[in-house]
């Protein structure tokens, strides 16, 4: 049986786990190709223009798999521990897939509500009907669940900036390549949230406790952890994403209070590489000055955030 896994959204965190799990069930796993313009165009034809870029990309990946597979594997994450929810658009992607295929393609969509393992066990049973095999497949695959228990080192004198954004944006080259290339091309080490230990990302102290979206809490906690260790903070926000824009605003205020250069890049399918590179270079100039300790940054919001918001 060919089981399709779209290379988008949660794939960028759980993809290796899913591939190993499904292969352990005896399935032939078909992963959609890497994001490109054609695939994005396919996605645009299935969802409203108002929706965020990651969901448009996901729709393209789903479309890409249709016709090549027997079953689409598309877990629906509702909430993880501490009742931290995924955003409604992410939850709704399974319904979008159902509308796209209108019953022509079976969809295996385990609902993750707090427990991660039980829904996967049931999905495994749906696909292979053998409990022993399902347990073995889960046991073998669980080593691919990403886990960091140590914070990275931050050597003195190193030039580094934080590049914050959802893992499905940063891990997708189609979205993040211009940012990553520009930052590293200027000699900066990039610090991201996904290299931080879980205990940092799941911290419930202070404002983080009030954030009820699972991945926004991670973003905010990563910001708090990194803000004093870097020369600047760049955050990638998807156009049309309510949770991102709200949490980014709090980060911006805190960065300003600490005189840390802050760049908010708002992305959608029209974002051009040239515009992104120009903004990052302006941001890096401020970061460079901060790194060198030459001047105090007074208002990065007006100089940088204003430009980005006007994109
Ligand atoms: S959190 Fe934002 S970017 Fe992510 S799926 Fe939801 S609306 Fe889109």
């Amino acid at each position: 049986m060919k089981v399709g896994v779209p290379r988008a959204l949660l794939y960028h965190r759980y993809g290796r786990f899913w591939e190993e799990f499904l292969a352990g069930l005896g399935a032939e796993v078909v992963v959609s190709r890497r994001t490109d313009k054609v695939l994005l165009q396919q996605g645009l034809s299935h969802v409203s223009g108002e929706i965020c870029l990651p969901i448009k990309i996901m729709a393209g990946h789903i479309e890409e798999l249709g016709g090549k597979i027997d079953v689409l594997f598309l877990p629906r994450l509702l909430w993880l521990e501490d009742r931290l929810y995924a955003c409604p658009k992410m939850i709704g992607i399974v319904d979008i897939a159902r509308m796209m295929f209108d019953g022509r393609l079976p969809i295996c969509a385990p609902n993750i509500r707090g427990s991660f393992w039980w829904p996967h066990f049931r999905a495994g049973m749906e696909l292979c009907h053998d409990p022993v095999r399902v347990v073995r497949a889960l046991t073998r695959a669980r080593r691919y669940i990403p886990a960091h228990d140590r914070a990275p080192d931050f050597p003195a004198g190193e030039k580094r900036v934080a590049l914050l954004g959802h893992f499905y944006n940063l891990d997708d080259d189609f979205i993040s390549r211009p940012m990553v290339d520009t930052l590293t091309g200027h000699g900066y080490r990039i610090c991201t949230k996904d290299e931080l230990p879980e205990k940092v990302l799941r911290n419930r102290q202070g404002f983080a406790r009030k954030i009820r979206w699972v991945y926004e809490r991670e973003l905010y906690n990563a910001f708090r952890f990194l803000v004093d260790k870097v020369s600047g903070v760049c955050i990638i926000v998807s156009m049309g994403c309510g949770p991102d824009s709200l949490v980014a605003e709090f980060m911006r205020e805190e960065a300003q209070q600490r005189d840390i250069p802050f760049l908010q890049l708002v992305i959608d399918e029209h974002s051009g590489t040239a515009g992104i590179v120009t903004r990052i270079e302006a941001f890096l100039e401020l970061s460079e000055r901060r790194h060198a300790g030459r001047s105090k940054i007074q208002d990065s919001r007006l100089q940088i955030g204003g430009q980005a918001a006007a994109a």
Side-chain angles (χ1 to χ4, degrees):
M1 177 176 24
K2 288 186 180 173
V3 180
V5 184
R7 193 190 293 269
L9 288 180
L10 295 175
Y11 175 87
H12 292 287
R13 179 160 292 182
Y14 301 114
R16 286 288 290 120
F17 164 74
W18 286 337
E19 285 181 49
E20 186 76 14
F21 169 54
L22 294 169
L25 300 178
E28 182 184 337
V29 185
V30 181
V31 181
S32 53
R33 67 174 193 267
R34 290 182 189 283
T35 310
D36 56 31
K37 279 187 185 159
V38 176
L39 206 140
L40 171 60
Q41 282 305 321
Q42 286 174 185
L44 292 177
S45 62
H46 290 287
V47 293
S48 151
E50 308 285 299
I51 218 154
C52 64
L53 183 61
I55 297 288
K56 289 170 180 161
I57 286 176
M58 176 51 125
H61 281 271
I62 292 171
E63 163 82 29
E64 158 77 10
L65 287 168
K68 297 182 183 165
I69 55 174
D70 304 309
V71 180
L72 179 67
F73 186 72
L74 194 58
R76 188 201 301 261
L77 172 65
L78 288 109
W79 53 273
L80 285 176
E81 79 278 354
D82 201 18
R83 287 259 172 193
L84 290 174
Y85 283 84
C87 93
K89 290 172 193 164
M90 193 182 277
I91 293 172
I93 192 66
V94 176
D95 304 298
I96 292 174
R98 290 209 168 105
M99 280 191 296
M100 284 168 68
F101 295 110
D102 197 19
R104 282 173 283 118
L105 180 69
I107 299 178
C108 178
N111 283 331
I112 299 166
R113 292 191 180 94
S115 162
F116 191 77
W117 301 106
W118 181 237
H120 280 88
F121 175 79
R122 289 173 58 152
M125 288 299 288
E126 202 179 313
L127 294 171
C128 92
H129 314 289
D130 176 349
V132 175
R133 190 165 191 179
V134 175
V135 170
R136 276 204 196 119
L138 276 176
T139 308
R140 265 201 305 270
R142 69 179 304 153
R143 68 180 186 274
Y144 292 107
I145 299 274
H148 297 280
D149 51 10
R150 270 194 67 236
D153 292 331
F154 298 98
E158 181 186 55
K159 282 174 34 169
R160 53 182 173 259
V161 290
L163 180 60
L164 298 180
H166 292 299
F167 52 88
Y168 41 85
N169 285 333
L170 289 188
D171 200 47
D172 190 331
D173 278 358
F174 182 74
I175 295 177
S176 64
R177 181 54 55 200
M179 296 90 171
V180 170
D181 284 353
T182 311
L183 293 169
T184 53
H186 284 75
Y188 278 83
R189 171 182 151 200
I190 297 174
C191 303
T192 66
K193 96 178 155 64
D194 295 303
E195 61 189 16
L196 301 181
E198 198 156 312
K199 70 174 190 290
V200 170
L201 300 180
R202 296 288 156 84
N203 172 36
R204 300 170 60 190
Q205 307 299 313
F207 177 64
R209 190 183 183 86
K210 297 187 176 158
I211 302 175
R212 304 309 305 166
W213 297 296
V214 58
Y215 298 129
E216 304 300 331
R217 185 184 279 187
E218 286 187 2
L219 274 181
Y220 180 75
N221 280 330
F223 167 80
R224 288 301 303 265
F225 184 82
L226 291 170
V227 68
D228 295 323
K229 301 174 178 65
V230 294
S231 309
V233 175
C234 174
I235 178 163
I236 301 175
V237 170
S238 306
M239 180 83 84
C241 174
D244 272 8
S245 43
L246 188 69
V247 173
E249 204 47 42
F250 282 98
M251 293 183 201
R252 182 203 295 281
E253 272 179 27
E254 289 190 34
Q256 277 184 310
Q257 283 161 11
R258 294 161 192 253
D259 285 335
I260 305 284
F262 184 88
L263 171 63
Q264 180 177 327
L265 286 172
V266 183
I267 52 158
D268 67 5
E269 65 274 24
H270 305 298
S271 301
T273 303
I276 288 173
V277 169
T278 306
R279 286 177 195 126
I280 292 181
E281 286 179 343
F283 159 76
L284 284 181
E285 203 169 317
L286 294 178
S287 303
E288 194 78 39
R289 280 191 226 156
R290 186 172 197 282
H291 178 76
R294 282 205 305 261
S295 72
K296 194 170 160 120
I297 310 302
Q298 291 298 333
D299 188 352
S300 60
R301 176 180 184 172
L302 288 177
Q303 294 176 50
I304 296 295
Q307 284 182 26

